[in-house]
Amino acid sequence: MANVKVTYDKTANAAYVYFTDPEARVKVAHMYPCDPVDVDGMINLDFDDQGRLLGIEVLAASSKLPAYLLESAERIDAEGA
């Protein structure tokens, strides 16, 4: 099973779930925003130039993702530094 990297900024209440190899340097070529009404918030899907899903940005993450995932995420806010 692959390890998936998750970062969390508690101050912004935003999380990012990475699906890329941590060693790879990839650029986002296209972002697809999910309908904020349908998902009751803001979730963005990031794709590379070949259409592969690179990751998911989740705003209002504490209400959208399981607590255990956020608790184990790499903190990128001042509190986590």
Side-chain angles (χ1 to χ4, degrees), residues 17-59:
V17 181
Y18 297 80
F19 298 136
T20 57
D21 180 341
E23 303 298 317
R25 298 272 185 196
V26 294
K27 287 189 167 192
V28 174
H30 176 72
M31 183 271 296
Y32 176 80
C34 296
D35 185 330
V37 174
D38 283 348
V39 298
D40 191 28
M42 195 62 152
I43 298 174
N44 300 314
L45 307 177
D46 290 337
F47 295 89
D48 69 9
D49 58 358
Q50 296 179 345
R52 287 186 290 246
L53 182 60
L54 301 174
I56 302 173
E57 178 185 29
V58 181
L59 305 180

